[in-house]
Amino acid sequence: MRSDARAAIVDTARSANAVLRPVGVRDVVLEDVFWAPRLRINRETTLAAQHQMLEQTGRLENFRRLTGASNAPFAGIYFNDSDVYKWLEGAAWSLATDPDPALTALVDQTVALIAAAQRPDGYLNTYFALDRASERWTNPDLHELYCAGHLFQAAVAHHRVTGSTALLNVATRFADHICDRFGLVEDGKIPWTDGHPEVELGLAELSRETDDERYLEQARFFVEVRGTGVLGRPYGRWGLEYHQDHLPVREQSEIVGHAVRAVYLYAGVADLCLERDKPELRSALDRLWASMTERKLYVTGGIGARHDGESFGDDHELPSATAYAETCASIGAVMWAWRMLALTGEARYADLIERELYNGILSGLALDGTTYFYVNPLADEGEHRRQPWFGTACCPPNLARLLPSLPGYVVSTSDDGLWLHLYATGTVEATLPDGQSARLRVETSYPWDGDISIEVWATGEWTLTLRVPEWVGDGASLEVAGETWPDGLMPGSYVAIRRRWAAGTVVRLRLPMPVRRVSCHPRVTENAGRVALMRGPLVYCLEVVDNPGVDVRDIVLPAEAEIEAKHRPELLGGVTTLSFDGRAAPVDGAWDRTLYREDVEGAPASIEPVRVVAVPYYAWANRQPGPMRVWLATR
Amino acid sequence: MRSDARAAIVDTARSANAVLRPVGVRDVVLEDVFWAPRLRINRETTLAAQHQMLEQTGRLENFRRLTGASNAPFAGIYFNDSDVYKWLEGAAWSLATDPDPALTALVDQTVALIAAAQRPDGYLNTYFALDRASERWTNPDLHELYCAGHLFQAAVAHHRVTGSTALLNVATRFADHICDRFGLVEDGKIPWTDGHPEVELGLAELSRETDDERYLEQARFFVEVRGTGVLGRPYGRWGLEYHQDHLPVREQSEIVGHAVRAVYLYAGVADLCLERDKPELRSALDRLWASMTERKLYVTGGIGARHDGESFGDDHELPSATAYAETCASIGAVMWAWRMLALTGEARYADLIERELYNGILSGLALDGTTYFYVNPLADEGEHRRQPWFGTACCPPNLARLLPSLPGYVVSTSDDGLWLHLYATGTVEATLPDGQSARLRVETSYPWDGDISIEVWATGEWTLTLRVPEWVGDGASLEVAGETWPDGLMPGSYVAIRRRWAAGTVVRLRLPMPVRRVSCHPRVTENAGRVALMRGPLVYCLEVVDNPGVDVRDIVLPAEAEIEAKHRPELLGGVTTLSFDGRAAPVDGAWDRTLYREDVEGAPASIEPVRVVAVPYYAWANRQPGPMRVWLATR
C-alpha cells in the first residue's frame, strides 16, 4: 500500500511517462481573496447541505436497505450511489486542509454504511441489489462501472487524507470482483465496458494507490475494448457516438457524443498513457484535444453544445442561449487537462484548467454555495436559475469535490524543480529534486490583478517554472531577486527560472490584464460581428440588474469605446466590473408581431447612448432575473 | 351515414361555425407543371415503395399475428400501426383522382387484414395484443389513441373515396370502445387522453362522416381534459409542456413542447371549434397561432427548433443548422391552418399552407419520391441526406397521404360562392350556393410565374374570391372580363369578385414575383445582417453543386447586387434559379486551429467576386452533398 499523506489529487509520483509530479492538497494553503472564501463556503455550507440532500432523497437510505436497517424501496435512479461517493470524496479533500470533527464523524458513518452494504462477493451497487440482484452486469448503460469508478476515487481520497483503509478495502474488493468478471470472451468474461466512462480513471488511481498492477491492466482493457464492437449494446435511444463507442479510442479524432462521458473517458486514457507507452492512444488524445479546444469549446470553457444527448455538436456549433455546457463536463475537462499537463508540461492544458475554473465551472455554483446550475448557457432571458438539487444530481457533488481539491492543482514538481500553474495568495510546501524542502509564499490579488509576488524559501540549484497565461497582455514582466528577466514572456507558455536560490529570494511576475475584446471563429454564425469581453482569465457578461432602463440584448459595444475596469468589493462578493459608453439599438417597432419582412436598409429606429456595466460570467444569476448576454454586438 | 362521394379532406359542409365548405379531392383535377408530376410520382412510385416497406419492416405482419396468420414476434415500435393507417389514407386519396386496380387490390387486402385483426371488443392495436393485451390503456404515452386517430382518418378517407364501409365499421367499433372507456372518473372511466394528440381530429371527422355526435363529444372530452392534471402521468424523460398537458388548452398562449403533438392537437381543437361554440378555446387558438407564426416559425415554414424533444424552442430560437423542423410538423401545421381557414376565411392561414407546401414540407421528399427527410435544417455541411425509411417512420406516409389529398386544399365554397386558395393549372368543379354547378379552368405556370388565368364556366350572381398571397410584389393586378379591377390588391388578403357571371368569363390575376431579400427579426441572433432569398412562395438556398470553386458559407450578397431569375427546365425537374454577382469572403487563415482571438478590425483577408446561383430550398440535397445555406451574409 502506498502512503501519500500529502494527499495528491492524481498520484503521478511514479508514473512512467509523467513530466510533472503531484504536490498534495495538504501542501498548499490558500489564503487568497478568490478561492479561499469559496473553499470555506464549500466546507461550512455546501458539504453539509448536500449531505442533507443525500439523506432526504434516499441516497443514503438506499445503502441502509442493503444492511437490513431499512425496508424502504429503492429511491431515485440507478446511478444515485455515485453522488454519495462524490460527496465523500469532497469531504475527504476538505478534511485534508481543514480538520473538522463533525465532518469526520459524518464521513466515518458514511464509510461504515457503505462497507456494511457491500455484498459478500465484493459487488456494490444499491440499485442492483435485493430483488434486482439478478440484473447485475446485464446492461452496460446502467452505470454500474461508473458508480464503481466514483467509489474508487472516493476511496483513494479517503485513504490519502485519513490513512484509513476502511473505504479502500471496499474499493479493492469491488475492483477485484470487476477484474474477475470483465475481460475477453475467450476467458469466459464479460467483454464490455460501461456506457458511462469513469471506471477507467478510478481503476488507474486505485492501482497507483495500492501498487496493484491488475487494476491498471483492467483500466487498459476497458479503454481498449471500447469501440471494438464486441457487443450489440442495448443502447436504445442513444447511439454509439453518444457513448464514444463508435471507434476504438486510438482511431478517434473528432470529439463527439455525451460531453461528460467523453472527457471522463479521455481522462482515463490519459491516465493509461501516464503509466504505459501507448503511442496510438497518445496521438488520439492530441487529436481529440484539438477537436475540443479548436472547434467545440465555448469561450467560458463550456463543452457540450447540445441539450439533445447532452452532447458535443458539430464543429463550430456553439449556440449561446441553448448551450448545454454542463458543469460536470467542464469539471471533467479539468480532470482530462490535468493529466495531459502531467504528461506534457504544456501550458495550454493549464490555460484550459484556468478557463474552466473561473468561468464554466464556477458559474455552476451560486455565490452562497447552496444552489447549482447543471446547464450553463451564454445567453438567457432570465428564466435559467440555479437549483438546490436535481433528480440527476451529478453536478452539485462534483463541485463539492472539485473545490476542496483545488490546492492540489496549484503546483507540481518535476525533475528540475517546481511548477506553479495557478496564482493565488497562499503557501506551498514541496520537495525539491534533491530531496530538500521548499516553501513558496505567494501574494497576489489574482484574478483581479496580475501582479504576483513569490517569496522562495529554499536553497540549492533548481528551476522555478511559472505559467504565463494565454491571455496575458503586452508588458508582461518578470523580476527575480530584483533583476529584470532578460527574455520576453510568451503568452501561453511557462517561463523556467533556473538558478541557485537563496532563501527568501523574491520573484515578481507582472501579468498585465487589459480588457480584451475576443472574437469568435467566423463559422460560429451567431457570434459574427460580436465580441466577448475578457479580463485576465475571466469572461464577462451583461446582466439586466447592472443596466437598468435598457434591454441588454440591444446593447452595442462601439469600436471606439474605452472600457474601464473597476474593483467593487461590495458587489457579488467582490468583483472587478467593466464599464463603457455603449449604445442601445432597440428593435424597430416595425418588427412587432413580425418574424420576417423584406430587407429594409438603414439603422435601427433609434440609437441611444448608454453607460454599460459588465460583471464576471461566473457571478451571473445571483441577483434578480433578466436577460444576460456574453457576446455583444459591435455595430 | 353521410355520403360525400366527392371526397372532402375535412368535411365542414355542415359545421356550425364554418365560413368555408369543402370541395372534394375528386372535384379538382391538377394538370400543372408543379404538383401534377409530384402526385404522379407519389402514385406510381412512393405508395408502392412504402407498401413494400410496411411489409419488410413487419408492420403488416404485426396485423397478421392477430389474425393467426403469423407467429412472428411483434416488430418495431408501439406506434407502428399508424404508418399502415397513414399509407392507407394516402392510397385512398390517390384512388379518388386516379383509379388503379392494383392499388385498389392492395387497399382491399389491407383493409381486410385490419378488420380481421380487430379484437372482439372493438379494440385494435397490434402492439397491445396477445401477450401484451393486459397492458392496454395503462400508459397514456404509448400512442394507443394516436393510432386510433390515424385509423379514423384512414377509414373516413376510405369511405369517402370508395363508398365501402369495410374500414369505417372497424373505426366506429373501435371508437365506440374508446367512448365507452374514456371519460370522467366519476363515471367509472379512464380520465386521460393520449400522450400524442391525433385522436381528437380523428374523432371529429368520424363524427362528421357518421353523423354520430357521440364521437364529437368524445373529442371534446379529450381536448378539455388535457392540462387539467387529472392524472399523475408516467411521462418519464419528457414533461408536461412536451405533451401540451401543462395547462388546459383554453389557458394556453405560448406554443411549446413537441411540435407535431402541438399542431395535431390544435387541429383537433379547431375541429371542435368548427362544430361547437367554444369561445375560450377559439381565443386560445388565436394566441397559439400568433405564438407559432410570429415568434417560432422558420422562413421555410419549419416548426420545432429543437432536436431535444423534437420541440418548439423559446421565442426567436430558430437556429438554422440544428433546426429540427420535422416534415410531419409542417404537415400538421397545414392540417391546423386548413381548419382555421375554414373557421375564418382569413388569408394568413392559406399563406401558411402555401409556405409549408412549397418549402418545409416538400423538402421532406426527394425529387424521385423514394427518400425522405425527417428533419429539415436551413443550413448543412453536406451530411444530411434523405433516407428511404426510418425506425420511427411517421414522415414518409404523412407525405404520401398529404400529396394525393392536395386537390382538396385548392378551393372552398362559402355562402357567397367559390374561394380559390392555391393556384395551379387544372380544373375545378364545385356547387354554387344556388345549387348550380360551376367549373373553373385555371391556367398558370405557378409557382414559377404569377400570371393566372381563370375561365369561369357558370352563371348567376355569386362571388369568386381569390387569394392575393402575402409575398406579392408591387403591380399586382386583376382583370375581370377584360376590365381592370378598380381596387388595389392587398398582399395577404382575399379579393372578392361579386358579379353576375356569364359562362366563359375570363379572370386574369397577375401576381408579380420579384425576388425578395427577406430579413429576420433581430432577436434571431444568427440571422442578424443576413437575408433569405424568396421568389413567389419559394425560399431559396445555396448549394455547393451550383457554385463550384467557392465555399457557399463564404458567400456575401451585396446590397447593390441585381438578382436574376431564370427558368431552367432541365434542372432539378424544372426550377427557376436566382443568380447574382456576389462576393466570397473566405475565412482568414489567422483562424486556423483558432476558435477565439482578440478582435481584429478590418475586412477578411481576401474578397473575390463570384457569380452565385441559388435554387429552391425544397430541391436541396438531390445532387452531390456539400454545404447548403438559406441565410446569406450581406456584408
Side-chain angles (χ1 to χ4, degrees):
Chain A
M1 204 67 74
R2 299 285 291 277
S3 170
D4 174 17
R6 309 308 308 165
I9 47 169
V10 179
D11 187 3
T12 56
R14 295 181 301 173
S15 300
N17 299 318
V19 172
L20 301 181
R21 316 283 174 192
V23 172
V25 172
R26 276 216 182 89
D27 292 319
V28 176
V29 178
L30 292 177
E31 298 163 309
D32 69 316
V33 293
F34 196 87
W35 293 113
R38 291 182 158 79
L39 268 59
R40 183 178 54 72
I41 289 171
N42 190 65
R43 214 158 55 227
E44 296 180 355
T45 304
T46 307
L47 282 170
Q50 290 194 4
H51 190 271
Q52 282 191 322
M53 278 295 185
L54 296 177
E55 195 63 88
Q56 279 174 30
T57 59
R59 281 166 167 80
L60 292 166
E61 197 73 3
N62 285 341
F63 284 91
R64 291 190 196 105
R65 290 175 75 226
L66 273 68
T67 67
S70 166
N71 292 317
F74 178 86
I77 193 160
Y78 47 84
F79 46 69
N80 273 10
D81 292 357
S82 63
D83 300 323
V84 176
Y85 301 142
K86 280 195 280 191
W87 176 86
L88 203 49
E89 186 189 339
W93 296 130
S94 184
L95 292 173
T97 54
D98 293 86
D100 175 335
L103 185 59
T104 297
L106 269 187
V107 166
D108 289 349
Q109 280 169 28
T110 309
V111 168
L113 175 60
I114 292 168
Q118 189 166 33
R119 303 291 87 184
D121 62 356
Y123 183 88
L124 181 53
N125 186 304
T126 66
Y127 180 84
F128 294 96
L130 307 178
D131 49 320
R132 286 207 197 81
S134 65
E135 297 171 39
R136 285 184 193 175
W137 308 132
T138 57
N139 183 341
D141 226 10
L142 297 182
H143 294 54
E144 288 165 279
L145 291 167
Y146 168 84
C147 289
H150 277 300
L151 168 65
F152 302 160
Q153 284 197 290
V156 167
H158 183 254
H159 181 247
R160 282 184 189 154
V161 170
T162 67
S164 158
T165 57
L167 194 60
L168 194 67
N169 287 341
V170 176
T172 54
R173 286 180 62 208
F174 195 11
D176 292 341
H177 174 103
I178 289 167
C179 293
D180 289 344
R181 276 160 190 78
F182 286 86
L184 300 175
V185 175
E186 47 266 44
D187 296 336
K189 295 188 173 184
I190 304 170
W192 37 266
T193 182
D194 205 53
H196 196 314
E198 160 71 20
V199 75
E200 301 82 359
L201 64 91
L203 281 167
E205 199 61 11
L206 191 64
S207 168
R208 294 184 182 119
E209 191 68 3
T210 60
D211 270 336
D212 191 333
E213 187 74 9
R214 191 184 181 207
Y215 302 145
L216 182 68
E217 176 57 21
Q218 191 64 34
R220 183 206 60 75
F221 170 80
F222 285 139
V223 165
E224 296 194 343
V225 77
R226 192 170 286 272
T228 60
V230 290
L231 69 163
R233 302 183 90 155
Y235 273 147
R237 173 171 160 80
W238 311 111
L240 293 171
E241 290 201 354
Y242 171 89
H243 294 87
Q244 295 79 42
D245 201 16
H246 56 302
L247 284 174
V249 175
R250 67 176 185 283
E251 296 175 21
Q252 295 182 16
S253 294
E254 184 182 355
I255 197 161
V256 296
H258 189 267
V260 175
R261 282 170 164 82
V263 290
Y264 278 35
L265 173 61
Y266 304 134
V269 175
D271 268 327
L272 186 59
C273 292
L274 279 162
E275 303 305 325
R276 296 193 184 174
D277 292 333
K278 291 283 181 187
E280 288 184 318
L281 290 175
R282 188 64 195 76
S283 299
L285 289 179
D286 284 346
R287 296 191 301 270
L288 291 158
W289 183 268
S291 174
M292 179 173 84
T293 57
E294 295 171 9
R295 293 179 294 279
K296 301 193 182 190
L297 181 80
Y298 284 98
V299 70
T300 55
I303 51 173
R306 297 183 181 171
H307 281 244
D308 192 43
E310 304 180 311
S311 73
F312 285 101
D314 290 330
D315 285 352
H316 303 117
E317 180 185 334
L318 293 166
S320 287
T322 59
Y324 202 68
E326 183 179 340
T327 305
C328 280
S330 282
I331 291 173
V334 166
M335 288 161 44
W336 181 19
W338 181 247
R339 288 157 178 82
M340 297 303 288
L341 183 60
L343 263 170
T344 64
E346 291 178 14
R348 56 186 173 142
Y349 301 111
D351 279 330
L352 187 83
I353 290 171
E354 187 177 75
R355 187 187 291 266
E356 300 288 2
L357 289 175
Y358 284 102
N359 302 287
I361 290 174
L362 199 52
S363 64
L365 186 64
L367 294 178
D368 69 1
T370 60
T371 58
Y372 312 90
F373 278 149
Y374 196 117
V375 168
N376 295 276
L378 280 77
D380 184 57
E381 306 312 322
E383 290 169 11
H384 191 63
R385 309 301 287 177
R386 294 183 186 85
Q387 303 297 321
W389 198 248
F390 306 93
T392 294
C394 47
C395 298
N398 226 349
L399 285 160
R401 69 175 182 147
L402 176 73
L403 281 171
S405 75
L406 258 193
Y409 288 95
V410 169
V411 64
S412 302
T413 62
S414 70
D415 294 345
D416 285 339
L418 304 186
W419 293 54
L420 201 50
H421 309 299
L422 299 178
Y423 297 114
T425 292
T427 307
V428 169
E429 305 273 358
T431 305
L432 293 169
D434 65 3
Q436 290 196 68
S437 290
R439 184 163 170 273
L440 306 181
R441 175 65 197 174
V442 180
E443 301 275 353
T444 178
S445 300
Y446 203 93
W448 310 121
D449 182 88
D451 282 3
I452 300 147
S453 160
I454 305 162
E455 272 182 15
V456 181
W457 293 93
T459 56
E461 186 179 351
W462 53 276
T463 305
L464 176 64
T465 300
L466 302 179
R467 188 168 72 92
V468 183
E470 58 181 340
W471 48 258
V472 89
D474 291 342
S477 68
L478 175 65
E479 198 183 285
V480 183
E483 289 185 24
T484 301
W485 188 253
D487 306 323
L489 302 182
M490 192 164 67
S493 73
Y494 282 93
V495 56
I497 309 166
R498 183 153 192 96
R499 60 185 281 134
R500 187 164 294 279
W501 295 88
T505 303
V506 174
V507 174
R508 288 185 189 279
L509 180 62
R510 291 195 178 85
L511 305 173
M513 288 184 172
V515 178
R516 287 172 301 136
R517 292 161 154 95
V518 174
S519 300
C520 185
H521 193 287
R523 289 282 184 252
V524 184
T525 315
E526 72 170 62
N527 292 345
R530 294 174 186 271
V531 296
L533 295 181
M534 294 189 72
R535 182 174 179 275
L538 295 170
V539 174
Y540 279 73
C541 69
L542 302 187
E543 280 198 289
V544 71
V545 58
D546 302 303
N547 298 281
V550 57
D551 189 326
V552 301
R553 301 175 298 181
D554 295 337
I555 287 175
V556 176
L557 167 60
E560 68 278 10
E562 276 186 40
I563 303 176
E564 179 194 8
K566 183 179 174 187
H567 197 70
R568 292 181 51 189
E570 83 294 353
L571 186 68
L572 293 163
V575 296
T576 295
T577 60
L578 304 182
S579 37
F580 58 87
D581 289 328
R583 297 195 304 263
V587 173
D588 189 331
W591 283 108
D592 287 353
R593 307 197 61 183
T594 301
L595 192 47
Y596 302 104
R597 59 182 178 130
E598 277 200 68
D599 191 30
V600 181
E601 284 297 315
S606 63
I607 297 184
E608 295 154 27
V610 59
R611 186 70 184 169
V612 181
V613 176
V615 296
Y617 170 76
Y618 74 76
W620 82 278
N622 275 287
R623 295 168 295 169
Q624 72 194 57
M628 179 279 289
R629 288 292 185 276
V630 168
W631 290 98
L632 309 181
T634 57
R635 57 191 178 195
Chain B
M1 202 68 70
R2 298 288 289 277
S3 171
D4 175 16
R6 308 307 309 164
I9 47 171
V10 179
D11 186 3
T12 56
R14 295 183 299 175
S15 300
N17 298 317
V19 172
L20 300 183
R21 315 282 174 194
V23 173
V25 172
R26 276 216 181 89
D27 292 320
V28 178
V29 178
L30 293 177
E31 298 163 306
D32 68 316
V33 294
F34 196 87
W35 291 114
R38 290 182 159 78
L39 268 59
R40 184 177 54 74
I41 290 171
N42 190 65
R43 214 158 55 227
E44 296 179 356
T45 304
T46 307
L47 283 169
Q50 290 194 4
H51 190 270
Q52 282 190 323
M53 279 294 184
L54 295 177
E55 195 62 89
Q56 279 173 30
T57 59
R59 282 167 167 80
L60 291 167
E61 197 73 3
N62 285 341
F63 284 91
R64 291 190 197 104
R65 290 175 75 226
L66 273 68
T67 67
S70 167
N71 291 317
F74 178 86
I77 194 160
Y78 47 83
F79 45 68
N80 273 10
D81 292 356
S82 62
D83 300 323
V84 176
Y85 301 142
K86 279 195 280 191
W87 176 87
L88 203 49
E89 186 189 338
W93 296 129
S94 185
L95 291 173
T97 53
D98 292 270
D100 175 335
L103 185 59
T104 296
L106 268 187
V107 165
D108 289 349
Q109 279 169 28
T110 309
V111 167
L113 175 60
I114 291 168
Q118 189 166 33
R119 303 291 85 183
D121 62 356
Y123 183 88
L124 180 53
N125 186 303
T126 67
Y127 180 83
F128 293 96
L130 307 180
D131 49 320
R132 286 207 195 83
S134 65
E135 297 170 38
R136 284 184 195 175
W137 308 131
T138 57
N139 184 338
D141 226 9
L142 296 183
H143 294 52
E144 288 166 278
L145 292 168
Y146 167 84
C147 289
H150 277 301
L151 168 65
F152 302 162
Q153 284 196 288
V156 167
H158 183 255
H159 181 248
R160 284 186 188 152
V161 170
T162 67
S164 158
T165 57
L167 194 60
L168 194 67
N169 287 342
V170 176
T172 54
R173 286 181 61 208
F174 194 11
D176 292 342
H177 175 104
I178 289 167
C179 292
D180 288 346
R181 276 160 189 78
F182 285 85
L184 300 175
V185 175
E186 46 267 45
D187 296 336
K189 296 188 173 185
I190 305 171
W192 38 265
T193 182
D194 206 51
H196 196 314
E198 159 71 19
V199 75
E200 302 81 0
L201 64 91
L203 281 167
E205 200 59 13
L206 190 64
S207 169
R208 295 184 182 119
E209 190 67 4
T210 59
D211 270 336
D212 191 333
E213 185 75 8
R214 191 183 181 205
Y215 302 144
L216 182 68
E217 175 58 21
Q218 191 63 34
R220 183 206 60 75
F221 170 79
F222 284 139
V223 166
E224 296 195 344
V225 77
R226 192 169 286 274
T228 60
V230 290
L231 70 163
R233 302 183 91 154
Y235 273 148
R237 174 172 160 78
W238 311 111
L240 292 171
E241 290 201 353
Y242 171 90
H243 294 88
Q244 295 80 42
D245 201 16
H246 55 302
L247 283 173
V249 174
R250 68 177 184 282
E251 295 175 20
Q252 295 182 16
S253 294
E254 183 182 355
I255 196 161
V256 296
H258 189 266
V260 175
R261 283 171 163 81
V263 289
Y264 278 34
L265 173 61
Y266 304 134
V269 176
D271 269 326
L272 186 58
C273 291
L274 278 162
E275 303 304 325
R276 296 193 184 175
D277 292 331
K278 290 282 179 185
E280 288 184 319
L281 290 175
R282 188 64 194 78
S283 299
L285 288 180
D286 283 345
R287 296 191 302 270
L288 291 158
W289 182 268
S291 174
M292 179 173 83
T293 58
E294 296 172 7
R295 294 179 294 279
K296 301 193 181 189
L297 181 80
Y298 284 99
V299 70
T300 55
I303 51 174
R306 298 182 180 172
H307 281 245
D308 193 43
E310 304 180 311
S311 73
F312 284 100
D314 289 331
D315 284 352
H316 303 116
E317 180 185 334
L318 294 166
S320 287
T322 58
Y324 201 68
E326 184 179 339
T327 305
C328 281
S330 282
I331 292 173
V334 166
M335 288 161 44
W336 182 17
W338 181 247
R339 288 158 178 80
M340 297 303 287
L341 183 60
L343 263 171
T344 63
E346 291 178 15
R348 56 186 173 142
Y349 301 111
D351 279 331
L352 187 84
I353 290 171
E354 187 177 75
R355 187 186 291 267
E356 299 290 1
L357 289 175
Y358 284 101
N359 302 287
I361 290 174
L362 199 52
S363 65
L365 186 64
L367 293 179
D368 69 1
T370 60
T371 58
Y372 312 90
F373 278 148
Y374 196 117
V375 169
N376 295 277
L378 282 75
D380 184 57
E381 307 311 324
E383 290 168 11
H384 190 62
R385 308 302 288 176
R386 294 185 186 83
Q387 304 297 321
W389 198 247
F390 306 93
T392 294
C394 47
C395 298
N398 227 348
L399 285 160
R401 70 175 181 146
L402 176 72
L403 281 172
S405 76
L406 258 192
Y409 288 96
V410 169
V411 64
S412 302
T413 62
S414 70
D415 295 344
D416 284 339
L418 304 185
W419 293 53
L420 200 50
H421 310 300
L422 300 179
Y423 297 114
T425 292
T427 306
V428 169
E429 306 273 358
T431 304
L432 292 169
D434 64 5
Q436 289 196 67
S437 289
R439 184 163 169 273
L440 306 181
R441 173 66 196 174
V442 181
E443 301 275 353
T444 178
S445 299
Y446 205 92
W448 310 121
D449 182 89
D451 282 3
I452 300 147
S453 159
I454 305 162
E455 272 182 16
V456 180
W457 293 92
T459 55
E461 184 178 353
W462 53 277
T463 305
L464 176 64
T465 301
L466 302 178
R467 188 168 71 93
V468 183
E470 58 180 341
W471 47 259
V472 89
D474 290 342
S477 68
L478 175 64
E479 199 183 284
V480 182
E483 289 186 26
T484 301
W485 189 253
D487 307 323
L489 302 183
M490 193 164 66
S493 73
Y494 281 93
V495 56
I497 309 168
R498 183 154 191 97
R499 59 185 284 133
R500 186 165 295 278
W501 295 87
T505 303
V506 175
V507 175
R508 288 186 190 279
L509 181 62
R510 292 195 177 85
L511 305 173
M513 288 185 173
V515 178
R516 288 171 301 136
R517 292 161 154 95
V518 174
S519 300
C520 184
H521 193 287
R523 290 280 184 255
V524 184
T525 315
E526 71 171 63
N527 293 345
R530 294 175 186 271
V531 296
L533 295 181
M534 294 189 71
R535 182 174 178 275
L538 296 169
V539 175
Y540 279 73
C541 69
L542 302 187
E543 280 199 289
V544 71
V545 59
D546 301 304
N547 298 281
V550 58
D551 190 326
V552 302
R553 300 175 298 181
D554 295 337
I555 287 175
V556 175
L557 167 62
E560 67 279 9
E562 278 187 38
I563 303 175
E564 179 195 8
K566 184 178 172 187
H567 197 68
R568 292 181 51 188
E570 82 294 354
L571 186 68
L572 293 164
V575 296
T576 296
T577 60
L578 304 182
S579 37
F580 58 87
D581 289 328
R583 299 194 304 262
V587 174
D588 189 329
W591 283 107
D592 288 353
R593 307 198 61 184
T594 302
L595 192 48
Y596 302 104
R597 59 183 179 128
E598 277 201 66
D599 191 30
V600 180
E601 285 296 316
S606 64
I607 297 183
E608 294 153 28
V610 58
R611 186 70 186 169
V612 181
V613 176
V615 296
Y617 170 76
Y618 75 75
W620 83 279
N622 275 288
R623 295 168 295 169
Q624 72 195 56
M628 179 279 289
R629 288 292 184 278
V630 167
W631 290 98
L632 309 182
T634 56
R635 56 193 178 194

